[in-house]
Structure formats: structure tokens, C-alpha cells
Amino acid sequence: MLNSVICKVTGHRVNRRRVWHDAVDFRTTCDRCNIPLIRDDREGWRPFDNDRDLLEERKAHPHSA
């Protein structure tokens, strides 16, 4: 909980060791609050939004079952 407050104030901490490409964009998770992040050309790294970012051409994480 405290980590999510820190992320709201200072921004998310990108886990660069776990970045992967889903055939459309680069994605990872925040090191602090563990929410999924997406790299946007205009906004940089931001939280993944299902309404805005969910596309059929996106592939699942390579290690997902």
C-alpha cells in the first residue's frame, strides 16, 4: 500500500530487467507496486489501461502459461 502511494507521488519504477515486447509495445511491471506498465511514444512509461491498450495483435508474456 505504501508503495502505491510512493508511485503516485514520485512515479513508477520501471523494472528494466523484465521488459518484453508484445508485438506492439514494450511492457514491464513497476518494481514498487507491481502494476503492469507500457511504454508510450508520447508519454513514456505509464500504467497499462485495458480500455485504451487492449489489442488483439498483442501477444502474451513469453513466460505466461
Side-chain angles (χ1 to χ4, degrees), residues 22-24 48 50 52-60:
D22 67 2
V24 180
F48 186 86
N50 282 336
R52 179 177 171 184
D53 302 318
L54 201 57
L55 303 171
E56 282 189 35
E57 48 282 346
R58 291 194 189 280
K59 295 182 181 175

Side-chain angles (χ1 to χ4, degrees), residues 7-63:
C7 287
K8 287 179 184 177
V9 173
T10 64
H12 294 285
R13 181 181 292 164
V14 175
N15 185 338
R16 298 199 185 278
R17 292 169 301 180
R18 304 198 73 202
V19 172
W20 59 283
H21 196 267
D22 67 2
V24 180
D25 293 298
F26 287 100
R27 295 178 51 192
T28 190
T29 55
C30 175
D31 267 345
R32 285 190 205 108
C33 65
N34 206 38
I35 71 160
L37 300 173
I38 186 169
R39 186 170 165 222
D40 189 301
D41 290 337
R42 289 172 279 154
E43 300 175 43
W45 288 100
R46 63 173 175 77
F48 186 86
D49 179 7
N50 282 336
D51 294 333
R52 179 177 171 184
D53 302 318
L54 201 57
L55 303 171
E56 282 189 35
E57 48 282 346
R58 291 194 189 280
K59 295 182 181 175
H61 190 280
H63 296 288

